[in-house]
Amino acid sequence: MLVYPDRDLASDARGPTLRTQRLVLRRWRAEDLAPFAELNADPDVMAHMQKTMSREESDAFVARIEEEFEDCGFGLWAVEVPNHSPFIGFVGLHRVPFDAPFTPAVEVGWRLAREHWGYGFVTEAARSAVRYGLEEVGLDEIVSFTNPDNVRSWRVMERLGMIRDSASDFEHPNVPVGHWLRPHIFYRFPPSVASTGIP
């Protein structure tokens, strides 16, 4: 269910806010910064990134996320489990910030604190975010990509109904040549999803 703008959860009534059966995807709050920095400093969470983040880097990331919301009307939502966990990470939509054969493009992405892995939260939240992007924003396509070793992430992509487009696999331009994280596999939704919406 889409609630727009959010008048219940965000202190300044900013939207959009998405609700799923178990989750709320909302704009960021000041109290999210500390747990997000802790998440970004966890080597297990960041195992498929080039490095962990400092507090300053993490806060700057949130600032960029909020700028994207203001510019586009979508972004990487802060995720909470009502009456249980006020912040567990992010799931949402993001303009791909580098040049590649498939850009310009919008990707669906996620990052959750380790203790919230394995409960299906990412799939549930990402499905809502993709539906919002296609049906409310009117995006023509949403893609996703990751390093081949990031099995947890590409399995989420497949659970969402995305399909591997091996012809679009690429070397990530922001990762040094020869680094094990540079190769990326590419997923997109089949054409029927853009025309009929995600189930």
Side-chain angles (χ1 to χ4, degrees), residues 5-136:
D6 175 19
R7 300 189 182 280
D8 300 318
L9 295 168
S11 60
D12 58 357
R14 297 168 307 158
T17 293
L18 311 182
R19 295 176 185 267
T20 72
Q21 182 177 359
R22 298 180 294 170
L23 306 170
V24 173
L25 285 67
R26 57 166 175 78
R27 295 285 291 272
W28 291 71
R29 303 173 182 155
E31 56 265 34
D32 300 327
L33 295 178
F36 188 52
E38 183 177 347
L39 178 162
N40 287 324
D42 185 333
D44 289 335
V45 173
M46 303 295 283
H48 293 93
M49 306 298 288
Q50 293 187 71
K51 65 182 185 68
T52 58
M53 287 185 177
S54 68
R55 174 63 188 263
E56 292 75 17
E57 290 169 330
S58 181
D59 288 356
F61 185 20
V62 174
R64 293 193 298 274
I65 291 170
E66 280 293 301
E67 288 176 2
E68 188 166 31
F69 272 111
E70 295 299 325
D71 290 344
C72 303
F74 62 77
L76 300 169
W77 282 273
V79 180
E80 67 175 75
V81 185
N83 304 314
H84 185 272
S85 299
F87 176 83
I88 66 171
F90 71 69
V91 176
L93 306 173
H94 178 52
R95 293 173 297 185
V96 177
F98 53 81
D99 291 329
F102 57 86
T103 60
V106 173
E107 65 169 317
V108 56
W110 46 81
R111 186 178 302 166
L112 294 192
R114 187 174 16 152
E115 61 267 29
H116 300 289
W117 294 358
Y119 296 97
F121 290 150
V122 166
T123 304
E124 182 176 329
R127 185 171 285 117
S128 182
V130 168
R131 185 180 296 115
Y132 177 81
L134 295 174
E135 298 178 5
E136 301 293 331

